[in-house]
């Protein structure tokens, strides 16, 4: 009888308490990807790809650029962020990614006076000494950089450590830095915390923007986000805008800036002169 049971066992079956072959394979792939990320950071195979956010009222004028970090493997191919960011965010590796993004963002605004750049960060990095030291030293050496820097924090991340984040934001505002709330509306943010954070910018999550012109499900959500942003004094940006119809609807609804492939894909070779030209025009 025992022999018959063993014979019927699939080659994919495992003993109780042991990981399945699929789990093992997934874990191995994850470790290999994280190792590639660590190597890219160590060897500085990092880039920022910049995407413009334009004024809804006049898309020829760029409000700011968002810098998306790109990590490259040994063949200079981009390592897809979706394959490592979720895991790296919970580890020190995530803080090192934030350090690399911040350093490149600071170098960008230093080399391009007058250009405003948004750099993504995790709220966890506020407690990471290397990241905060990098920021404070740069501002000490060149105080004017603060007015060109936007720190963009994911909504879910901001909710995790409000007691640490709030005093940090107050301190940095004294240097001219402003703060942007990324993925606004996606994580069910506490209105009380939104009031306390006082983000200058809120970016509506792209999941609500696609086909917004013909989406009766998402239109009330976006209108509510616009109303909340106005009440709290936040300038509203819509992400992932890809069509003229979406842009027109958002403009009519009162969104201040539009960002997405309709106005430009992220690129490591942005035309910052276009920013200066637009600002002069304004």
């Amino acid at each position: 009888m025992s022999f018959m049971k063993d014979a019927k066992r699939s080659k994919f079956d495992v003993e109780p308490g042991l990981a399945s072959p699929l789990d093992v394979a997934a874990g191995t792939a994850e470790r290999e990807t994280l190792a590639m990320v660590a190597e890219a950071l160590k060897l500085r195979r990092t880039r920022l790809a910049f995407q413009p956010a334009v004024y809804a009222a006049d898309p020829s004028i760029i409000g700011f650029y968002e810098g998306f970090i790109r990590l490259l493997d040994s063949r200079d191919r981009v390592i897809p962020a979706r394959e490592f960011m979720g895991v790296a965010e919970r580890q020190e590796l995530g803080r090192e990614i934030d350090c690399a993004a911040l350093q490149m963002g600071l170098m960008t605004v230093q080399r391009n006076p007058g250009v405003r750049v948004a750099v993504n960060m995790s709220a966890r990095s506020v407690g990471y000494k290397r990241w905060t030291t990098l920021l404070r030293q740069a501002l000490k050496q060149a105080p004017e950089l603060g007015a060109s820097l936007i720190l963009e924090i994911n909504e879910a991340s901001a909710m995790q450590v409000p007691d640490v984040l709030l005093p940090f934001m107050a301190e940095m505002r004294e240097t001219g830095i402003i703060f942007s709330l990324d993925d606004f509306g996606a994580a069910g943010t506490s209105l009380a915390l939104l009031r306390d954070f006082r983000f200058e910018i809120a970016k509506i999550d792209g999941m609500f923007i696609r086909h917004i012109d013909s989406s009766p499900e998402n239109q009330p959500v976006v209108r509510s986000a616009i109303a909340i942003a106005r009440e709290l004094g936040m300038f509203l940006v819509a992400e992932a805008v890809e069509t003229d119809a979406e842009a027109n609807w958002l403009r009519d609804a009162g969104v201040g800036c539009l960002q997405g492939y309709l106005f430009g894909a992220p690129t490591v070779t942005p035309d910052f002169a276009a920013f200066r030209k637009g600002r002069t025009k304004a």
Side-chain angles (χ1 to χ4, degrees):
M1 184 66 71
S2 176
F3 171 79
M4 290 300 293
K5 288 182 179 179
D6 290 341
K8 292 179 180 178
R9 177 174 291 167
S10 164
K11 64 180 180 179
F12 295 108
D13 289 345
V14 294
E15 295 295 335
L18 297 180
S20 73
L22 292 178
D23 289 340
V24 171
T28 300
E30 183 179 278
R31 287 192 295 273
E32 290 175 350
T33 299
L34 291 178
M36 279 196 298
V37 170
E39 182 181 31
L41 290 169
K42 179 180 179 181
L43 299 178
R44 297 188 178 182
R45 293 200 298 259
T46 58
R47 304 286 188 275
L48 279 186
F50 297 92
Q51 185 177 42
V54 304
Y55 284 107
D58 186 351
S60 68
I61 302 177
I62 299 171
F64 63 91
Y65 292 86
E66 180 176 357
F68 297 94
I69 192 162
R70 298 288 187 257
L71 303 179
L72 309 178
D73 66 14
S74 58
R75 297 183 181 180
D76 283 341
R77 297 173 302 187
V78 174
I79 305 170
R82 64 179 179 275
E83 295 185 6
F84 65 83
M85 283 304 293
V87 178
E89 163 66 12
R90 303 188 296 271
Q91 303 180 14
E92 184 175 356
L93 193 61
R95 310 291 72 74
E96 289 299 315
I97 292 172
D98 279 359
C99 286
L102 176 62
Q103 188 166 37
M104 289 185 290
L106 289 167
M107 289 174 61
T108 298
V109 295
Q110 188 170 31
R111 293 171 180 173
N112 299 275
V115 171
R116 174 160 277 182
V117 170
V119 176
N120 288 276
M121 61 169 286
S122 166
R124 289 188 175 99
S125 290
V126 173
Y128 192 60
K129 186 175 181 180
R130 195 168 91 81
W131 188 90
T132 53
T133 298
L134 177 65
L135 179 58
R136 290 191 173 103
Q137 286 183 345
L139 293 172
K140 183 178 181 180
Q141 294 170 5
E144 70 278 5
L145 297 183
S148 297
L149 191 63
I150 301 170
L151 292 180
E152 191 161 311
I153 306 172
N154 178 276
E155 182 179 21
S157 173
M159 296 304 107
Q160 294 173 354
V161 287
D163 292 343
V164 176
L165 189 55
L166 283 166
F168 169 79
M169 292 172 70
E171 175 192 355
M172 289 299 111
R173 283 190 173 106
E174 294 296 321
T175 71
I177 291 175
I178 65 175
F179 291 86
S180 175
L181 180 66
D182 197 17
D183 298 336
F184 179 44
T189 305
S190 160
L191 291 179
L193 282 176
L194 267 184
R195 176 201 62 203
D196 293 341
F197 279 127
R198 296 186 296 110
F199 281 95
E200 286 84 0
I201 298 172
K203 301 182 74 175
I204 305 176
D205 190 275
M207 65 184 288
F208 300 117
I209 299 303
R210 294 179 185 89
H211 310 297
I212 185 63
D213 55 296
S214 58
S215 174
E217 297 84 8
N218 286 336
Q219 288 175 1
V221 176
V222 174
R223 288 195 179 98
S224 296
I226 293 170
I228 292 171
R230 284 175 175 167
E231 287 295 325
L232 296 177
M234 297 188 294
F235 184 78
L236 208 59
V237 179
E239 300 177 309
V241 182
E242 298 184 355
T243 69
D244 287 322
E246 292 168 352
N248 291 335
W249 190 96
L250 292 161
R251 183 183 303 112
D252 292 342
V255 173
C257 263
L258 308 173
Q259 181 180 346
Y261 280 82
L262 180 63
F263 307 103
T267 175
V268 296
T269 56
D271 181 12
F272 287 132
F275 177 92
R276 298 190 189 93
K277 181 179 179 182
R279 302 305 294 183
T280 301
K281 175 181 175 181

